[in-house]
Amino acid sequence: MKISIIAVGKLKEKYLKQGIEEYMKRLTAYAKVDIIELPDEKAPENMSEAEQEAIKRKEGERILSKIPLDTYVISLEIKGDMISSETFAKKLENLMVHGKSKIAFVIGGSLGLSEEVQERSDYALSFSKMTFPHQLMRLVLVEQVYRGFRILKGEPYHK
């Protein structure tokens, strides 16, 4: 299985980088995982709705350019489905069983995802109704992917 994490914005915090590197190293036993970091658009403080949509559209174009046609796309969205770690693991397993060997997780910028990216998404996933920094979501996501593989292998970790 090949997993891509497509994320808008530069990761700056050292502690987040270290956590992500640790889980990426652990994931090598289960899948090939790549992180594709895309630049975010500069966003002034008081933007109109039209300006916000334009920024999301530009970031969305960059995201879509990195997703091959044969890839199953899971977008991280506040309005997505909230599921347990066990259900998430089962979803990964079902994708593998049904021949979906390429999966892309998409994390938008601070304004969220464009409508075009949401339409391309095969599944919208939410980790909470709360809003989190998109950099922190990278760490949470790689940890959950790792946890999912551990659950599927029956290995101790998910308690």
Side-chain angles (χ1 to χ4, degrees):
M1 172 171 272
K2 182 177 183 333
I3 297 173
S4 297
I5 298 170
I6 303 169
V8 174
K10 187 152 181 63
L11 194 61
K12 299 173 185 121
E13 293 82 0
K14 186 177 180 182
Y15 70 95
L16 292 175
K17 287 181 183 179
Q18 290 172 330
I20 290 168
E21 286 170 8
E22 178 61 30
Y23 285 111
M24 292 290 285
K25 186 169 54 176
R26 293 180 187 187
L27 275 166
T28 59
Y30 305 101
K32 181 175 177 6
V33 182
D34 295 319
I35 295 179
I36 301 167
E37 189 174 88
L38 302 173
D40 55 352
E41 287 292 311
K42 301 297 175 238
E45 278 299 310
N46 298 315
M47 287 181 286
S48 69
E49 205 161 303
E51 289 171 315
Q52 290 180 25
E53 289 304 314
I55 287 172
K56 288 196 294 188
R57 202 168 27 260
K58 286 180 187 175
E59 291 175 347
E61 288 169 4
R62 287 189 200 120
I63 291 168
L64 292 172
S65 75
K66 300 297 181 187
I67 302 173
L69 290 175
D70 60 345
T71 301
Y72 187 89
V73 178
I74 300 175
S75 54
L76 273 59
E77 304 179 37
I78 288 177
K79 293 180 181 173
D81 292 341
M82 281 192 276
I83 58 176
S84 69
S85 295
E86 291 79 10
T87 302
F88 179 70
K90 198 72 169 158
K91 180 146 190 75
L92 290 176
E93 182 178 53
N94 287 340
L95 289 170
M96 289 185 279
V97 166
H98 292 96
K100 302 291 185 188
S101 61
K102 293 180 187 174
I103 300 172
F105 289 94
V106 178
I107 303 172
S110 59
L111 297 175
L113 295 170
S114 70
E115 194 174 303
E116 294 81 7
V117 173
Q118 291 174 345
E119 287 172 5
R120 172 61 179 91
S121 177
D122 295 294
Y123 184 73
L125 175 65
S126 175
F127 284 101
S128 172
K129 289 186 185 292
M130 295 177 164
T131 302
F132 294 99
H134 49 279
Q135 295 95 340
L136 179 60
M137 285 315 301
R138 281 194 224 181
L139 176 58
V140 173
L141 176 60
V142 294
E143 188 279 335
Q144 284 298 303
V145 171
Y146 174 70
R147 182 182 297 260
F149 280 111
R150 297 285 296 196
I151 290 168
L152 291 176
K153 297 286 186 184
E155 298 169 348
Y157 181 75
H158 65 283
K159 300 285 183 215

